[in-house]
Amino acid sequence: MQSEHADLLAGYRARMSSAASQEVLRSIEREAFDKGGTIAGMLAKVPSLEPSERAGAGRAANELKRALEADFAAARERLAQAALERERSGGDFDATLPAPKARRGSLHPLTQVQRELEDLFTSMGYEVLDGPEIELERNNFDALNIAKDHPARDAMDTFWVKTPPGQERLVLRTHTSPVQVRAMAHLKPPFRAIAPGKVFRQETTDASHEHTFHQMEGLVVGEGISVGNLIGTMQTLLQGIFGRAIEVRLRPGYFPFVEPGFELDARCPFCKQGCSVCKRSTWIELLPCGLVHPRVLEAGGIDIERYSGFAFGLGLSRLVMMRHGIEDVRHLLAGDLRFLEQF
Amino acid sequence: MKISYRWLARHIDLSGLSAEQVAADLTLSTCEVESVERFAPCLSDVTVGHVLTREKHPDADKLSVCSVDIGQGAPLQIVCGAPNVRAGLKVAVATVGTSLAPDFKIKKSKIRGVESCGMICSERELGLGEDHEGIWELDGAAALGQPVAAALDLADFVIEIDNKSLTHRPDLWGHRGFARELSAIYQRPLKPLDTSLPPAGALAPFPVRIESKACARFMALCLEGAANGKSPLWLRTLLLAVGQRPIDVLVDVSNFVMLDLAQPNHLFDRRRLSSEGIVVRDARAGERLTTLDGIERKLEPADLLICAGPKPIGLAGVMGGEETKVASDTTALVLEVASFHAATIRRTASRLALRTDASARFEKTLANRDLPEAAAGHLVRTLQSIQPAVRLSAPVTDQRNEQALVAATAELSILLRPERVRKLLGVALDDAAISAILKRLGLAVSPADKPGWVQVKIPCERATKDLTEEQDLVEEVGRIHRFGNIPTRALLETIRPPQLGARRAIVRKLEDRLALAAGFHQTISYSFLADSLRAKLGIEGLPHSEVVNPVAEGLSAMRRSVVPSLLGLLESNRRHGQDVRLFEVGKGYLPYAPQEAGISPTSSAEPKEVHELGLVWARPPKAKQRFDEGVLAELHAVVADLLPALGRADLVWGPARTGELPAFAHPVRALVGRADKAPDARAVAVLAELEPSVRRALGLVGDLDSEVAFAALSIDDLQHAVAALATRYHPVSSFPGIKVDVALALPSAVPAADALAAIERAAKGLARGIELFDVYSGPNIAAGHRSLAFHVVLEDSSKTLEDKDRHKFLERLAKEAQGLGGELRAES
Ligand SMILES: [Zn+2]
């Protein structure tokens, strides 16, 4: 009897020590303690024994049960400790493995710049407007004081759209300025508006010329708007774009829809002595602008004795190229993932 | 256009002002300066020498050995090959060490055994034109030992102006105009210029007849006593400085006057003109003329011709004819100074791709009063200063076409309010200061009848285009005062907080969702769609808006929607990468065609522009493990997430109706999303794999074999949907719901939508969520059937659901399944 118990105990202990997981251990434990298990079997035999043997056998079974319980608890603890140790060891972790690639898309750099500018201008009370890209010749040229024979039309090589005979001629807009015309038709002064968008010029493409690019037009109309306001606004705009105050200079520039018209140059933000961006001049030609020409205001139905205004244009494509050091404008619309993924 | 600093100094005293300074001030007050460069820099590096002796070279017939005094040290021995070298000449000497070009440095050398310590230069070697006949013979008075540039007063700088910044300033197409600007900027007077005509001889005036509206004025002057030949040095160097090749004195003087006063003119050899005189008329269709450059030009009625009698001899305002040009033996001339219609000249020059110095000036609208006579006088006086024998042999012919004259001449007087100047510039200049600036520009200011106004008289050369109304004068004051001197002012107005706009707000959220959550890359494409791509996609038959003048053959169509542009990008991108996910938010252009249903033009001629979101996804095909794998299902997951991302319920997805799919969509593996369940609701979104033959045509086979899906969503419709669709929020119930998993074994032909509807009905409005998690067919499922397994969450906002609710639901669902020809197969 005694030796039988000892053998049982030894057998269980051997199996416990070789159990590799808590699950295995638990199945061994069930074998010992469940209904019909080892201990229960022993206790079940007790009533059939001689009365003299009953007490001893009952005690012995309980002793074996306690011994097994203690051993199982120890084995569980041992396995738990081993699991902790294993987890702490960190396996074969190699801190020098390169990071796996996270799946991420991208916003086009033009979208990013356009959004920044939209946010900047809406924070200053400008509405954001849109206009058609296939535009009436009238809005693209005539209403902007660019008459049929105006030499300025030559400079804007125009895509003409096939139109049925007898209908108004259509162009792919050569600038965002026709939105000025449309804005004046439905906004009552005073107002401030910007119009970002795609524009088209029929010209041979190379690293710095594209037939399709992006611009942003700005228009402010109100009482007493002056050149002084224009300069102040442009300084604020540049501060918003470059994140710090930028010195500007204003020089005459000719655009038929403004009078006076300017080119606003910004002190090159990328250098002190001249670089490739500013073509060694330390100035960057950034913003054509001016007071809205009275003919344009009139075409928009605005009382020129009461109101004046200013307009400006910003080359979004150019701004994106400057910001990221993009050497070839044709990358912008080529749809090559090797380019797009970088933004 | 190039202007010469030395030339400007003929008109205004520039002492104390460097060329760089002049350029900087022109930049800030007048126009765009591109560069400032030294003219013929070698002239400053060579020295005036005096040839003391000339001996024949002992071993070479054509070489001479000269002794040349250069004003310092011992005379230099120089070997020279020029035939005209001789004792007593003043010459230009390049001493040892002087560089005449980057790769041409003078060294001490031995020529046929004789030592040579320098070089006597020809004009060509110094950048003064083509003359290489011999060495340059300097004026005998040139100061010995001085740099040639200083000794002959040839030092000059070339200021290059951006022509585009002169479009509106015909007066600045000559040096005198620039000098007038500098006179205003520096407050220095213009030097007088004698443009009076000398007394005329008694011959009959040269006959001229104007027969075209495009000619406003034609002056003809008969000159005699000319002797053609090489121009004097001052003239040749001025022309060279501005990039004009000197030809002969007659041509050079003609060019000089044009570059000085901006008025083109032409000299005819009198012998080549008929006695009938000159007729100015429109060309006839098919007429031909050989221009000075030797090219025969085919003319059109829109061209303006100068004719000798019936015979064309010049293309008015563009280029003269070959036959009547001056020759080396020309002595009698007819000088033409005329005024032509700007646009006529521009169109002819542009059509013939013959942009000349003359046409560039005429097309800016030159003044037709004062200027032509000034140019005529200036030319005669200049020629006489070189050749005193030249005389005007007959009274000047001055034909005027009054109608054209009036049309081309603007109002010459403008009323101005000085207060308006102050207000628009935002600057405190008093009336006197404003008047002073205008006067400096050559404008005459006088009091006007109305108080607060002044009258400003505009000289002809500024009146044709540039200065025509009050605000033009505001600019004049501003630029001379300097815009940079205007104080900065903030805009003072109440800001009304603007809306970004519903579409922009939606687009931003969609872009963010796709780029940041779904791993798609945004692109922006050209609006043009190649004919070849249209053919591959099977959409070449659809009407497209087209441009008349595409950048390239076959690139005239404007896309109707965004997806075709994206499909065109797949092949090249798959070549460089495996997984291609692109999206674009952009416009489609629908040509106005009344028969197209649902498209109403904004005006009779304007095409409709639609805003779209397009997505494409291409990747190497892989075996499908689960029902929710595969590029179409995965793109569906992305697209079905978009409206929820806008805080709205998803679209209602289902099969497409006839005509709703583009030609490049797979006919079966396609679906559309609608904003509501109504049977006639429009498709807002289309989602499909590629039509198999299109996939092949796009080259997505072989090494690039791809599974491809695309989606097209109308942003305009989404915008309406967002407004119409319910918000997604559902109150959180305080009573716990119960989760039931069910599997319905149904005939395969029963759409999943019917199974979903059956669950909805069985749940009697308590279904809080239904999610498909498995589609299975195979062992244990009858042939022709499939099992659809769903997680269903039942929830009641007013009570806790119990086991009996669950049982009732399952009983009802079992009946529904039977109704669909199948059974409720499992539940848990
Ligand atoms: Zn720089």
Side-chain angles (χ1 to χ4, degrees):
Chain A
M1 191 79 164
Q2 281 297 339
S3 69
E4 193 187 328
H5 282 194
D7 289 350
L8 264 174
L9 191 56
Y12 270 113
R13 280 180 176 162
R15 290 171 66 199
M16 276 180 219
S17 63
S18 64
S21 69
Q22 298 279 10
E23 286 70 35
V24 174
L25 191 64
R26 211 161 350 263
S27 73
I28 303 170
E29 206 174 349
R30 277 198 294 272
E31 225 176 278
F33 296 124
D34 273 10
K35 283 186 214 166
T38 309
I39 301 296
M42 282 181 183
L43 290 173
K45 280 188 208 156
V46 172
S48 62
L49 293 179
E50 288 301 312
S52 62
E53 292 178 339
R54 285 182 193 168
R59 200 162 41 243
N62 279 321
E63 270 167 27
L64 179 63
K65 185 184 175 197
R66 274 193 297 277
L68 278 172
E69 276 171 348
D71 283 356
F72 273 114
R76 271 197 302 274
E77 178 60 21
R78 197 177 61 247
L79 280 173
Q81 281 303 326
L84 270 178
E85 287 307 318
R86 216 167 31 248
E87 197 172 328
R88 278 201 190 101
S89 78
D92 58 354
F93 177 70
D94 176 357
T96 68
L97 277 178
K101 210 174 161 193
R103 173 95 241 168
R104 190 184 67 88
S106 58
L107 290 176
H108 196 282
L110 275 166
T111 301
Q112 297 182 26
V113 163
Q114 185 177 321
R115 282 192 189 184
E116 283 174 31
L117 289 170
E118 286 173 359
D119 292 347
L120 176 66
F121 276 101
T122 46
S123 78
M124 298 192 292
Y126 288 68
E127 292 191 49
V128 186
L129 303 177
D130 273 307
E133 291 165 15
I134 299 182
E135 183 55 281
L136 295 166
E137 178 188 21
R138 176 161 46 103
N139 287 341
N140 193 76
F141 290 122
D142 305 50
L144 290 168
N145 197 36
I146 313 174
K148 291 267 185 301
D149 287 336
H150 204 294
R153 283 205 188 188
D154 288 355
M156 295 189 201
D157 299 305
T158 309
F159 284 112
W160 294 94
V161 177
K162 283 185 188 163
T163 31
Q167 290 202 333
E168 265 195 89
R169 294 215 293 177
L170 294 167
V171 300
L172 298 190
R173 66 177 178 188
T174 58
H175 45 188
T176 41
S177 307
V179 185
Q180 283 188 33
V181 182
R182 292 174 177 269
M184 288 187 286
H186 78 269
L187 294 178
K188 281 219 168 1
F191 63 80
R192 309 172 183 188
I194 55 163
K198 216 182 211 181
V199 300
F200 307 83
R201 301 269 170 95
Q202 212 283 10
E203 64 180 356
T204 315
T205 58
D206 59 31
S208 47
H209 295 89
E210 247 295 19
H211 57 70
T212 305
F213 54 100
H214 288 73
Q215 274 188 348
M216 195 185 80
E217 193 80 5
L219 177 66
V220 171
V221 176
E223 285 184 55
I225 299 287
S226 71
V227 173
N229 295 135
L230 167 59
I231 304 171
T233 304
M234 294 303 100
Q235 281 172 341
T236 311
L237 163 61
L238 292 176
Q239 174 140 21
I241 293 175
F242 294 104
R244 61 190 160 92
I246 298 263
E247 187 191 348
V248 303
R249 100 181 162 178
L250 214 56
R251 54 187 173 80
Y254 172 64
F255 312 96
F257 38 96
V258 287
E259 182 78 40
F262 319 104
E263 290 281 5
L264 184 131
D265 298 341
R267 192 59 94 172
C268 179
F270 305 104
C271 72
K272 290 227 152 47
Q273 255 105 42
C275 66
S276 63
V277 177
C278 59
K279 294 180 194 140
R280 322 246 152 253
S281 72
T282 78
W283 291 103
I284 295 184
E285 188 177 318
L286 210 54
L287 278 159
C289 52
L291 293 188
V292 183
H293 197 287
R295 290 294 82 71
V296 177
L297 288 174
E298 279 176 349
I302 286 173
D303 176 0
I304 61 169
E305 286 303 317
R306 181 163 175 205
Y307 297 108
S308 54
F310 64 79
F312 56 92
L314 191 58
L316 294 181
S317 303
R318 200 155 156 268
L319 213 53
V320 166
M321 291 175 73
M322 267 168 52
R323 166 174 291 190
H324 298 287
I326 297 166
E327 78 296 353
D328 190 330
V329 62
R330 290 168 296 189
H331 289 315
L332 292 180
L333 304 188
D336 189 328
L337 276 171
R338 293 171 298 170
F339 173 81
L340 299 172
E341 277 166 355
Q342 300 181 40
F343 299 96
Chain B
M1 187 178 75
K2 290 175 173 165
I3 54 176
S4 143
Y5 175 86
R6 190 164 69 104
W7 195 326
L8 290 173
R10 293 171 66 88
H11 295 290
I12 183 172
D13 176 13
L14 292 177
S15 53
L17 296 165
S18 67
E20 282 78 12
Q21 184 64 50
V22 167
D25 286 311
L26 285 175
T27 300
L28 292 180
S29 276
T30 307
C31 62
E32 196 163 332
V33 174
E34 287 185 329
S35 61
V36 179
E37 272 164 29
R38 187 181 269 276
F39 165 65
C42 293
L43 290 177
S44 302
D45 301 332
V46 294
T47 308
V48 177
H50 187 214
V51 182
L52 300 176
T53 61
R54 176 211 168 234
E55 309 289 342
K56 246 180 66 59
H57 190 288
D59 284 330
D61 284 349
K62 292 189 173 167
L63 296 181
S64 314
V65 180
C66 305
S67 169
V68 184
D69 178 8
I70 58 161
Q72 48 188 346
L76 301 174
Q77 174 171 295
I78 298 176
V79 176
C80 180
N84 62 334
V85 67
R86 57 191 185 273
L89 273 187
K90 286 276 178 67
V91 293
V93 179
T95 52
V96 170
T98 304
S99 287
L100 293 182
D103 53 352
F104 183 23
K105 191 169 179 178
I106 306 299
K107 293 188 205 108
K108 188 183 262 191
S109 60
K110 275 200 169 163
I111 301 172
R112 294 265 181 127
V114 178
E115 189 165 84
S116 181
C117 300
M119 187 174 90
I120 303 177
C121 303
S122 69
E123 292 185 21
R124 192 173 75 172
E125 281 152 352
L126 297 175
L128 295 183
E130 299 302 304
D131 199 339
H132 200 50
E133 292 296 294
I135 53 157
W136 183 13
E137 301 182 16
L138 303 185
D139 187 324
L144 186 66
Q146 291 287 306
V148 171
L152 298 178
D153 195 20
L154 294 178
D156 197 1
F157 291 85
V158 183
I159 303 172
E160 174 117 40
I161 308 287
D162 179 1
N163 286 352
K164 284 204 291 292
S165 70
L166 299 179
T167 311
H168 59 310
R169 292 290 303 267
D171 63 308
L172 291 186
W173 287 76
H175 282 76
R176 183 93 179 158
F178 271 102
R180 195 179 297 107
E181 285 289 307
L182 297 176
S183 153
I185 293 169
Y186 298 125
Q187 307 195 47
R188 298 185 184 192
L190 272 183
K191 294 179 185 171
L193 183 69
D194 182 5
T195 60
S196 66
L197 282 167
L203 291 181
F206 191 80
V208 171
R209 200 165 72 245
I210 300 177
E211 291 182 353
S212 170
K213 288 201 300 271
C215 178
R217 190 167 175 194
F218 198 105
M219 297 177 71
L221 290 82
C222 299
L223 300 174
E224 283 181 3
N228 211 353
K230 193 174 175 181
S231 295
L233 183 62
W234 69 264
L235 179 52
R236 282 184 287 129
T237 47
L238 286 184
L239 291 175
L240 282 167
V242 300
Q244 283 279 342
R245 193 164 61 90
I247 310 283
D248 55 45
V249 68
L250 296 176
V251 174
D252 291 352
V253 166
S254 166
N255 283 333
F256 169 77
V257 169
M258 172 180 70
L259 299 169
D260 209 22
L261 299 188
Q263 169 71 52
N265 56 82
H266 191 71
L267 285 171
F268 296 98
D269 187 325
R270 175 76 194 225
R271 294 170 297 178
R272 312 269 174 242
L273 296 179
S274 71
S275 57
E276 294 168 80
I278 282 177
V279 178
V280 188
R281 63 165 169 84
D282 299 333
R284 299 181 188 111
E287 248 179 321
R288 281 161 198 277
L289 168 70
T290 302
T291 41
L292 268 174
D293 51 8
I295 297 172
E296 191 188 61
R297 309 281 176 177
K298 217 180 122 196
L299 306 175
E300 290 184 4
D303 302 327
L304 186 62
L305 281 182
I306 310 295
C307 303
K311 192 173 159 40
I313 55 168
L315 200 48
V318 181
M319 195 178 262
E322 173 81 8
E323 283 180 41
T324 52
K325 69 177 179 187
V326 294
S328 56
D329 60 348
T330 303
T331 59
L333 303 158
V334 173
L335 166 64
E336 163 203 325
V337 184
S339 303
F340 301 120
H341 180 234
T344 301
I345 304 306
R346 184 166 64 90
R347 281 191 288 261
T348 294
S350 158
R351 196 192 81 242
L352 297 175
L354 189 59
R355 279 267 156 79
T356 59
D357 291 320
S359 74
R361 286 167 174 78
F362 277 121
E363 70 179 41
K364 306 297 182 296
T365 313
L366 294 169
N368 55 38
R369 292 186 190 161
D370 300 351
L371 180 60
E373 45 268 57
H378 188 31
L379 189 143
V380 176
R381 293 288 176 187
T382 305
L383 193 53
Q384 281 180 335
S385 75
I386 299 166
Q387 299 187 353
V390 170
R391 63 189 186 282
L392 201 52
S393 58
V396 175
T397 307
D398 187 357
Q399 286 295 329
R400 294 165 185 243
N401 181 345
E402 285 303 332
Q403 219 179 342
L405 271 182
V406 172
T409 306
E411 193 188 359
L412 295 178
S413 198
I414 298 172
L415 285 170
L416 170 74
R417 288 162 289 183
E419 181 55 29
R420 187 95 176 148
V421 176
R422 289 186 281 272
K423 210 171 135 194
L424 288 177
L425 292 180
V427 75
L429 279 172
D430 62 26
D431 290 13
I434 290 170
S435 292
I437 287 175
L438 295 174
K439 282 175 188 162
R440 275 151 63 187
L441 284 163
L443 315 182
V445 184
S446 57
D449 298 340
K450 293 188 268 182
W453 297 73
V454 293
Q455 179 140 341
V456 183
K457 193 164 176 298
I458 313 298
C460 293
E461 72 268 13
R462 298 294 310 274
T464 57
K465 267 239 150 82
D466 184 27
L467 302 184
T468 56
E469 58 184 281
E470 190 181 28
Q471 203 147 327
D472 298 334
L473 297 176
V474 174
E475 174 170 60
E476 294 302 290
V477 175
R479 67 188 183 84
I480 297 299
H481 176 69
R482 290 280 158 88
F483 296 119
N485 292 331
I486 294 173
T488 300
R489 279 160 208 265
L491 280 176
L492 293 178
E493 244 162 39
T494 311
I495 292 181
R496 293 165 295 185
Q499 299 292 318
L500 187 58
R503 183 165 49 71
R504 283 203 145 68
I506 288 174
V507 164
R508 282 193 181 193
K509 283 184 184 162
L510 295 176
E511 287 171 343
D512 285 344
R513 197 72 179 176
L514 290 169
L516 307 178
F520 275 69
H521 295 280
Q522 186 182 29
T523 188
I524 297 175
S525 310
Y526 298 104
S527 300
F528 305 111
L529 210 54
D531 291 351
S532 55
L533 180 59
R534 286 200 292 156
K536 285 177 191 171
L537 299 179
I539 55 172
E540 72 275 33
L542 289 173
H544 285 77
S545 275
E546 282 180 76
V547 292
V548 179
N549 50 341
V551 276
E553 182 75 24
L555 206 56
S556 59
M558 309 281 292
R559 67 182 183 193
R560 294 172 56 97
S561 65
V562 169
V563 168
S565 300
L566 297 176
L567 292 174
L569 299 171
L570 290 182
E571 188 196 352
S572 59
N573 274 307
R574 273 285 284 115
R575 226 170 259 294
H576 297 295
Q578 297 277 303
D579 188 295
V580 178
R581 308 185 197 190
L582 288 170
F583 78 97
E584 175 170 2
V585 176
K587 279 181 172 178
Y589 312 83
L590 305 182
Y592 171 52
Q595 69 274 17
E596 273 188 278
I599 297 168
S600 58
T602 51
S603 107
S604 62
E606 284 178 90
K608 185 179 163 74
E609 294 179 12
V610 293
H611 293 91
E612 276 198 343
L613 165 63
L615 297 96
V616 291
W617 192 346
R619 63 188 193 192
K622 39 181 188 204
K624 247 172 75 165
Q625 305 292 332
R626 284 170 44 91
F627 75 96
D628 54 0
E629 291 177 346
V631 74
L632 182 62
E634 288 171 55
L635 185 60
H636 191 186
V638 169
V639 175
D641 181 46
L642 291 178
L643 270 165
L646 296 173
R648 291 295 185 278
D650 189 16
L651 298 170
V652 182
W653 293 93
R657 288 193 292 262
T658 313
E660 281 185 326
L661 294 179
F664 45 84
H666 193 290
V668 176
R669 301 185 60 77
L671 60 163
V672 300
R674 305 178 203 282
D676 67 73
K677 287 180 175 152
D680 58 344
R682 237 150 60 92
V684 171
V686 172
L687 178 64
E689 290 185 7
L690 272 189
E691 208 281 329
S693 66
V694 170
R695 186 170 68 82
R696 285 165 178 77
L698 289 175
L700 300 168
V701 286
D703 288 350
L704 302 183
D705 195 14
S706 307
E707 49 175 348
V708 186
F710 70 86
L713 292 91
S714 158
I715 293 193
D716 304 308
D717 288 345
L718 274 186
Q719 202 176 323
H720 292 127
V722 164
L725 283 173
T727 54
R728 244 176 108 226
Y729 176 72
H730 190 279
V732 178
S733 173
S734 44
F735 300 97
I738 48 178
K739 289 181 185 143
V740 194
D741 285 356
V742 295
L744 301 174
L746 301 172
S748 297
V750 173
D754 291 4
L756 282 164
I759 296 173
E760 295 265 12
R761 284 193 300 272
K764 287 197 177 280
L766 298 182
R768 174 77 179 79
I770 307 174
E771 185 193 340
L772 179 68
F773 69 90
D774 194 24
V775 178
Y776 171 78
S777 56
N780 300 327
I781 301 293
H785 283 56
R786 60 177 178 172
S787 162
L788 304 172
F790 298 90
H791 299 300
V792 181
V793 177
L794 302 174
E795 196 180 274
D796 191 320
S797 57
S798 58
K799 65 178 194 329
T800 303
L801 292 180
E802 294 166 20
D803 217 29
K804 66 175 198 302
D805 299 305
R806 171 192 156 98
H807 279 298
K808 281 183 194 156
F809 164 67
L810 290 172
E811 273 168 29
R812 288 193 295 267
L813 186 56
K815 270 191 203 125
E816 290 281 355
Q818 281 162 20
L820 293 172
E823 56 168 353
L824 173 63
R825 192 176 137 253
E827 93 256 352
S828 64

